[in-house]
Amino acid sequence: MDVQTEQGDSYTDNLIGTLLAIFGSVIVSISLSIQKYSHVKLAETKEQRTFYNTKTWWCGFVFICIGEGANFVSYAFAPIAVVAPLNAVSVLTSSILGFLFLREKSKAKDFAKSHGLAFLGYIFIIGGTYLFVSFGPNSHEKLQAENIVKHLVGWPVLLYMLLEIIAFCLLLYFYKQRNANYLVVILLLVALLGSVTVITVKAVSGMLLLTLEGAMQLDYPIFSVMFVCMVASVIFQARFLSQACNLHDPSLAACVNYIFSTIFAVVAGAVFYLEFQKEDVLHICMFLLGSALCFLGVFLVTKSRKKAKMFEPYVTMDVANGVPTIHDNGLAVQPDYNGSFSYGALVNNDGVAPTTLPVNLEHPTVTVRGTDPPHGQSDLKKD
């Protein structure tokens, strides 16, 4: 009877954690779209205001806090192996919001041809989410401070942490000293930090939940250790991820980061919290199948975000004629910085098609004055 009651409690906790994670992912995607809309509208106006002075941006910020709070609490109820892959819901929601608000209307045939892969990715993400949630680990453990310390000093965790530290130091050496700015190298650093993040987040959220239930856990040293590690790993993880998006295609970075982070998070949960210890082979295989479908779905969704080769005018000074000229000869005189930022160019960072400037690309005919112009000759008309 006690076993059935414990299984029922575990199922209820997993359901609560799963719903909180899905809710948090959807809210975060909506909040980012709201903030993006705020930046776009502010750029269209001529008001000299910063983005944090707009109500729309603060509305998005409040939604981000709510969504991240829900994600944080979800780790206290559900296993890491169930919560971590649910980040695919965020990719799915962001893509759908992009279709609804940032895409121009087009014919059904052209729309299906252009975005067929994205819809196929939606199907894979939904199907994969159902599989790994249904067949994922159903283990639930009260994360008391004593239990966390017991997990931490176990030899599998110590060996795992040692391997992670060695791998992180090697990757960091090649990235900083050898200038190995490859996307895989940077995102492996992000994933290694992410595995530490999910371990500490689950520990901190679990102990906070027990404290709210009446069992004080905040006075244990392990809580402070986990909290500091959580904050530090989140900060450095965000920095490396930002560098990856600046140096490489953000869509590709989002796809690879989801795959790497999910794999490392699941492995961390399996090693540290023994989440798959009581699972049979069938459940593990179905969980892996669901995760693979989500990986494929995220890849298809991000792959469908093609970067259009648009007219990006840059202004140079024609020394011979002394007039500014707008060029678009297809050459990278002022090259686009891997699609994320282009110095001196009108770039598109918000996914909204930029307006083509109606300019004459030909050089205007300009009469150059000599050093001693004839008396009475009128000056050139200023622009």
Side-chain angles (χ1 to χ4, degrees):
M1 187 66 180
D2 293 337
V3 176
Q4 294 179 353
T5 303
E6 183 179 353
Q7 291 179 350
D9 293 341
S10 298
Y11 177 80
T12 303
D13 290 342
N14 281 6
L15 180 60
I16 294 174
T18 301
L19 294 178
L20 283 173
I22 294 175
F23 172 77
S25 298
V26 172
I27 293 298
V28 168
S29 298
I30 294 175
S31 64
L32 293 177
S33 298
I34 292 174
Q35 288 188 329
K36 183 182 295 184
Y37 174 79
S38 174
H39 286 289
V40 172
K41 298 302 291 185
L42 187 62
E44 292 177 355
T45 62
K46 296 182 179 179
E47 300 180 14
Q48 299 296 328
R49 290 195 304 167
T50 53
F51 61 89
Y52 52 80
N53 287 330
T54 60
K55 295 180 180 180
T56 309
W57 187 89
W58 280 107
C59 179
F61 179 78
V62 171
F63 274 97
I64 284 182
C65 294
I66 296 174
E68 293 297 344
N71 286 329
F72 176 80
V73 176
S74 67
Y75 282 95
F77 291 94
I80 295 176
V82 175
V83 176
L86 286 174
N87 288 326
V89 177
S90 180
V91 178
L92 174 65
T93 307
S94 298
S95 181
I96 293 176
L97 291 175
F99 283 128
L100 294 178
F101 298 106
L102 302 178
R103 302 292 180 180
E104 296 181 355
K105 294 182 179 181
S106 59
K107 296 181 181 180
K109 183 178 180 180
D110 297 334
F111 185 84
K113 183 178 180 181
S114 302
H115 308 295
L117 286 179
F119 283 101
L120 184 60
Y122 296 165
I123 296 174
F124 284 150
I125 290 176
I126 295 173
T129 301
Y130 172 78
L131 286 178
F132 73 72
V133 169
S134 300
F135 294 93
N138 195 31
S139 61
H140 181 72
E141 179 185 8
K142 293 294 183 180
L143 294 178
Q144 299 176 352
E146 295 84 354
N147 295 338
I148 295 175
V149 173
K150 183 189 298 184
H151 288 304
L152 187 61
V153 298
W155 70 264
V157 175
L158 294 177
L159 179 61
Y160 175 76
M161 296 301 294
L162 177 62
L163 294 176
E164 272 209 341
I165 292 173
I166 294 174
F168 184 83
C169 292
L170 288 176
L171 290 171
L172 189 62
Y173 169 77
F174 284 107
Y175 177 56
K176 294 294 185 181
Q177 300 298 326
R178 300 293 184 179
N179 294 324
N181 297 327
Y182 303 110
L183 180 63
V184 173
V185 173
I186 303 175
L187 293 184
L188 280 176
L189 290 170
V190 174
L192 288 171
L193 290 171
S195 63
V196 177
T197 301
V198 295
I199 290 174
T200 54
V201 165
K202 185 172 181 62
V204 172
S205 61
M207 285 189 283
L208 285 175
L209 180 63
L210 289 177
T211 301
L212 293 176
E213 292 177 351
M216 175 58 67
Q217 303 291 318
L218 305 186
D219 53 354
Y220 288 92
I222 189 62
F223 176 82
S224 301
V225 172
M226 288 293 181
F227 183 81
V228 172
C229 292
M230 178 187 70
V231 174
S233 62
V234 168
I235 292 174
F236 286 103
Q237 185 182 1
R239 289 186 60 183
F240 282 120
L241 186 58
S242 176
Q243 294 173 11
C245 292
N246 289 333
L247 294 174
H248 302 277
D249 181 17
S251 297
L252 179 61
C255 174
V256 179
N257 178 60
Y258 169 74
I259 295 174
F260 283 176
S261 297
T262 302
I263 292 175
F264 278 83
V266 171
V267 173
V271 174
F272 195 95
Y273 295 107
L274 305 176
E275 293 180 346
F276 290 92
Q277 187 177 25
K278 298 180 181 179
E279 302 298 323
D280 55 22
V281 178
L282 176 61
H283 280 75
I284 295 176
C285 291
M286 296 302 292
F287 172 83
L288 294 177
L289 177 61
S291 300
L293 288 177
C294 282
F295 294 162
L296 181 58
V298 171
F299 171 75
L300 293 177
V301 170
T302 55
K303 182 180 176 59
S304 64
R305 301 176 183 174
K306 297 181 179 179
K307 295 173 58 180
K309 299 297 182 180
M310 301 175 184
F311 169 59
E312 294 186 354
Y314 55 91
V315 181
T316 61
M317 183 63 69
D318 193 324
V319 179
N321 296 328
V323 295
T325 305
I326 297 180
H327 303 272
D328 183 31
N329 55 8
L331 299 178
V333 179
Q334 291 179 339
D336 185 24
Y337 192 56
N338 293 317
S340 60
F341 180 77
S342 180
Y343 181 79
L346 303 179
V347 296
N348 173 30
N349 290 327
D350 295 300
V352 183
T355 304
T356 304
L357 298 180
V359 296
N360 184 11
L361 300 181
E362 298 180 356
H363 291 275
T365 304
V366 180
T367 303
V368 181
R369 293 183 297 172
T371 57
D372 292 320
H375 179 70
Q377 183 177 356
S378 60
D379 294 335
L380 292 176
K381 186 178 180 180
K382 296 182 179 179
D383 293 336

